[in-house]
């Protein structure tokens, strides 16, 4: 068995360089991945790069004596640059369209990474990640027709080259086998392949890869979520009133300096009245990692001519704030997406002593209503097979209060509320909860691409049937939410 060295540090360096391998972000809508000129540019430059840097010494370092096909080196450069270009597009514009400048930037980053850390490191990372994608798909489906496997159409449909080299390599290592039945050949995992998959899964888990992948997917979903404010109000009839009541409870007043976290398209900022409360004598800095959401928020701002709100790209764990100090840091429906202890420390850094940190977030809810179980059975079944509850990222009521206290905040106060979620029609519900805000993202993210897409399509079809058979009244569930507020100590508490 090929044993990978511990690649945790290398993986973190790769991310720090703005590089990813395998773009789970790819918008697969039947279009080619890039304009032909961009494809050609990346293709030619990858070949040159591999020709120069994939030396005998690097090869020996990366794979020893293993018989890896020569073209894999070029593909590793191409795939990393192509994925990084899509990632750059998603970070800079919130869309997945790659410009020439982005492709150039991505390739430059790959070359810098190779110069700094060696081709062998890039190659091992590429092999580790793609090996996981390839073997995980076989584990999930049991077998995949050879042609689909080589084209990646079930598990990596964004690739615009053949996976033949990778398949050959996996075959030569004994990780996969082929079975001929009638006219067709099918690819399956061997026992060795199963063991390799277990080891790569462990290695990637330890390195934080799955968490990173989930976070990237989450921001990408928000980028592409065009009609968030519309579907939010469709499924949550009290959406605006609850946010307004929360702002009142937090005590936001005219003239305050407020930091808003996870502002998305500005629903709390504008529709729920945060900017209006603060008024032109105060200021709002509103932060979100999703460029797509920020573009929509800025559009609303222009239409309303409000110039005391400053939208900035960033995440709660790493705030784009230097010297400023705020009276209040506030946010709705974002805390469960963050690393809470890091986010709270960051907020403490930028809120003045005696200032307030507050959040309104949904809590774990009861998914046992008959209509819901029937509708979302394909996801609930994934968890049931593991004899677990579905992974849904929502918080337990005691989690945020504990984290607020552990962060050294004082006078922690909690207010519990319950409103209702309604499920008006299949397409909007699935768009909002699954493709949009990412319910059950942890269940869906590890699935091979086709399995995830098929499952989402199945949810729409099941939803249509459920909506036809259950009344509007029956298609509701209680939605518990928690408001929490606390003060930053006047004096350092020494608990950090
Ligand atoms: C469900 S929306 C909530 C938006 C809005 N505050 C509201 O009242 O509806 C969650 C938002 O959190 C953002 N988000 C995700 N991860 C985040 C992080 N680490 N820090 C800050 N915001 C984050 C997402 O991009 C998204 O726009």
């Amino acid at each position: 068995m090929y044993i990978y060295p511990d690649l945790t540090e290398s993986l973190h360096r790769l991310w720090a360089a703005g590089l990813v391998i395998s773009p789970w972000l790819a918008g697969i809508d039947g279009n080619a991945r890039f304009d032909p000129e961009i494809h050609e540019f990346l293709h030619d430059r990858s070949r040159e790069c591999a020709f120069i840097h994939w030396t005998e010494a690097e090869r020996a370092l990366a794979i020893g004596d293993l018989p890896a096909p020569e073209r894999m080196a070029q593909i590793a450069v191409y795939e990393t640059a192509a994925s990084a270009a899509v990632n750059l597009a998603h970070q800079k514009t919130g869309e997945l369209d790659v410009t020439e400048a982005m492709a150039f930037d991505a390739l430059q980053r790959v070359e810098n990474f190779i110069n700094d850390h060696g081709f062998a490191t890039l190659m091992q990372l590429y092999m580790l990640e793609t090996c996981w994608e390839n073997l995980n798909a076989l584990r999930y489906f049991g077998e995949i027709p050879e042609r689909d496997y080589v084209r990646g159409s079930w598990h990596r449909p964004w690739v615009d080259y053949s996976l033949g080299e990778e398949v050959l390599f996996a075959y030569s290592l004994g990780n996969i086998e082929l079975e001929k039945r009638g006219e067709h050949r099918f690819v399956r995992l061997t026992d060795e392949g199963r063991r390799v998959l277990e080891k790569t899964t462990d290695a990637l888990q330890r390195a934080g890869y799955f968490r990173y992948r989930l976070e990237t997917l989450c921001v990408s979903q928000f980028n592409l979520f065009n009609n968030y404010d519309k579907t939010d109000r469709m499924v949550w009839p009290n959406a605006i009133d609850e946010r307004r009541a929360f702002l009142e409870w937090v005590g936001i007043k005219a003239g305050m300096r407020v930091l808003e976290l996870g502002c998305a398209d500005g629903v709390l900022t504008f529709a729920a009245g945060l900017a209006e409360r603060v008024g032109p004598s105060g200021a709002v800095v509103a932060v979100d990692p999703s460029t797509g959401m920020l573009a929509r928020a800025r559009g609303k701002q222009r239409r309303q001519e409000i110039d005391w709100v400053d939208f900035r790209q960033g995440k709660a764990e790493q705030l784009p704030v230097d010297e400023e100090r705020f009276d209040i840091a506030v946010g709705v429906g974002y805390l469960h997406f963050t690393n809470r202890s890091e986010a709270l420390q960051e907020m403490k850094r930028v809120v003045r002593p005696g200032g307030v940190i507050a959040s309104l977030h949904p809590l774990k809810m009861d998914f046992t209503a008959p209509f819901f179980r029937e509708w979302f059975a394909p996801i609930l079944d994934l968890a049931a097979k593991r004899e677990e509850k579905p992974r849904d990222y929502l918080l337990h009521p005691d989690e945020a209060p504990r984290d607020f206290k552990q962060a050294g905040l004082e006078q922690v106060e909690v207010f519990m509320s319950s409103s209702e979620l309604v499920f008006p029609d299949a397409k909007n519900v699935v768009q909002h909860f699954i493709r949009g805000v990412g319910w059950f993202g942890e269940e869906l993210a590890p699935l091979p691409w086709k399995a995830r897409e098929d499952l989402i399509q199945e949810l729409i079809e099941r939803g249509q049937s459920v909506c036809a058979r259950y009344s509007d009244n029956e298609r509701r569930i209680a939605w518990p939410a928690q408001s929490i507020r606390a003060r930053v100590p006047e004096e350092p508490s020494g608990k950090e």
Side-chain angles (χ1 to χ4, degrees):
M1 182 190 297
Y2 175 72
I3 306 285
Y4 289 97
D6 184 352
L7 292 170
T8 304
E9 260 184 42
S10 304
L11 204 50
H12 288 241
R13 286 190 191 125
L14 188 85
W15 297 335
L19 297 174
V20 291
I21 299 172
S22 274
W24 331 285
L25 310 171
I28 312 291
D29 52 9
N31 295 326
R33 189 176 181 183
F34 302 118
D35 287 345
E37 307 86 70
I38 293 182
H39 173 78
E40 211 175 301
F41 164 74
L42 288 176
H43 180 270
D44 292 352
R45 288 283 299 269
S46 304
R47 198 173 48 200
E48 279 167 34
C49 177
F51 187 77
I52 296 168
H53 295 284
W54 187 230
T55 58
E56 277 304 321
E58 291 293 319
R59 192 179 198 288
L61 257 176
I63 51 172
D65 293 335
L66 294 176
E70 201 53 33
R71 220 171 72 90
M72 262 175 64
Q74 173 190 336
I75 291 175
V77 177
Y78 176 86
E79 186 53 53
T80 313
S83 304
V86 176
N87 196 37
L88 279 174
H90 129 93
Q91 280 177 1
K92 287 190 176 164
T93 65
E95 312 223 339
L96 300 173
D97 295 333
V98 169
T99 62
E100 275 175 38
M102 289 169 189
F104 187 82
D105 184 355
L107 199 93
Q108 199 77 49
R109 287 170 192 242
V110 178
E111 287 174 347
N112 291 345
F113 184 86
I114 291 172
N115 284 328
D116 292 347
H117 308 294
F119 204 119
T121 308
L122 180 80
M123 193 65 181
Q124 284 177 328
L125 289 169
Y126 165 79
M127 284 164 51
L128 178 68
E129 289 194 25
T130 52
C131 167
W132 184 82
E133 296 272 0
N134 292 345
L135 300 187
N136 183 52
L138 290 175
R139 183 197 56 80
Y140 183 87
F141 290 113
E143 62 181 19
I144 297 181
E146 186 192 15
R147 294 196 76 188
D148 290 306
Y149 196 60
V150 170
R151 289 174 181 177
S153 45
W154 287 23
H155 66 305
R156 289 165 62 194
W158 50 85
V159 296
D160 38 16
Y161 51 85
S162 156
L163 296 181
E165 278 77 8
E166 288 176 30
V167 175
L168 205 64
F169 188 51
Y171 186 74
S172 72
L173 294 178
N175 295 341
I176 59 173
E177 61 192 8
L178 288 169
E179 187 184 280
K180 189 161 194 292
R181 286 205 305 275
E183 301 271 282
H184 302 288
R185 302 207 306 174
F186 297 86
V187 185
R188 286 203 307 237
L189 265 186
T190 58
D191 289 343
E192 173 73 352
R194 237 171 271 283
R195 282 192 290 273
V196 171
L197 176 59
E198 232 169 78
K199 285 206 177 301
T200 48
T201 307
D202 280 355
L204 289 167
Q205 184 84 46
R206 272 198 311 277
Y209 171 80
F210 296 111
R211 171 143 196 97
Y212 183 81
R213 193 174 191 267
L214 190 65
E215 278 171 16
T216 313
L217 264 174
C218 159
V219 175
S220 165
Q221 293 204 175
F222 279 113
N223 273 341
L224 303 175
F225 195 175
N226 276 319
N227 53 352
Y228 171 66
D229 51 0
K230 184 174 144 228
T231 56
D232 181 53
R233 285 177 225 198
M234 283 174 88
V235 299
W236 185 19
N238 285 345
I240 301 302
D241 290 348
E242 289 233 5
R243 287 183 180 92
R244 281 185 184 279
F246 169 67
L247 292 177
E248 178 68 30
W249 183 74
V250 172
I252 290 173
K253 305 228 164 33
M256 284 184 161
R257 294 188 54 78
V258 176
L259 173 69
E260 186 193 344
L261 291 315
C263 62
D265 63 354
V267 55
L268 184 73
T269 336
F270 301 120
L274 171 60
E276 204 183 329
R277 271 173 179 272
V278 166
S281 60
V284 177
V285 171
V287 174
D288 200 286
S290 158
T291 354
M293 281 296 187
L294 289 173
R296 295 186 270 279
R298 289 190 183 110
K300 289 180 184 172
Q301 180 180 25
R302 274 193 298 278
R303 287 192 290 280
Q304 302 192 22
E305 298 182 5
I306 289 179
D307 64 5
W308 57 95
V309 180
D310 179 9
F311 288 102
R312 296 183 195 168
Q313 187 187 14
K315 48 187 214 165
E317 300 88 330
Q318 239 175 328
L319 289 167
V321 172
D322 294 327
E323 300 299 319
E324 300 149 281
R325 289 293 169 269
F326 297 91
D327 299 305
I328 296 190
V330 71
V332 171
Y334 81 97
L335 196 66
H336 51 292
F337 292 114
T338 68
N339 174 324
R340 288 188 301 285
S341 64
E342 285 178 19
L344 287 167
Q345 286 308 330
E346 263 297 79
M347 285 185 249
K348 244 178 104 184
R349 176 177 72 80
V350 302
V351 172
R352 67 167 169 79
V356 169
I357 296 177
S359 160
L360 166 61
H361 43 260
L363 295 175
K364 291 227 175 285
M365 56 191 96
D366 180 2
F367 290 131
T368 56
F371 90 90
F372 191 93
R373 282 171 40 186
E374 204 175 310
W375 188 334
F376 292 90
I379 295 181
L380 303 180
D381 289 351
L382 288 173
K385 268 191 213 145
R386 299 190 311 268
E387 300 184 359
E388 283 177 11
K389 288 197 164 166
R391 296 176 187 154
D392 62 13
Y393 72 41
L394 297 165
L395 301 183
H396 283 289
D398 48 355
E399 283 182 281
R402 183 199 60 208
D403 295 335
F404 271 54
K405 283 178 195 150
Q406 274 175 3
L409 299 173
E410 293 177 346
Q411 301 174 38
V412 178
E413 288 175 78
V414 168
F415 173 75
M416 306 291 263
S417 55
S418 180
S419 52
E420 262 189 341
L421 288 181
V422 300
F423 293 73
D425 73 278
K427 277 205 172 134
N428 280 309
V429 164
V430 173
Q431 161 67 19
H432 183 84
F433 289 120
I434 305 295
R435 281 215 195 273
V437 299
W439 265 14
F440 306 118
E442 283 151 295
E443 295 288 347
L444 296 179
L447 299 184
W449 180 84
K450 182 177 184 304
R452 195 168 63 203
E453 288 304 308
D454 287 352
L455 190 148
I456 293 176
Q457 186 53 36
E458 187 186 346
L459 289 180
I460 294 175
E461 284 157 23
R462 293 178 81 94
Q464 282 159 348
S465 156
V466 163
C467 289
R469 285 179 294 107
Y470 289 82
S471 69
D472 289 353
N473 235 351
E474 286 167 314
R475 299 194 315 274
R476 292 166 183 270
I477 53 178
W479 194 19
Q482 182 176 61
S483 300
I484 181 166
R485 68 180 175 201
R487 284 199 183 275
V488 174
E490 295 283 356
E491 295 295 325
S493 68
K495 284 188 194 166
E496 283 169 51

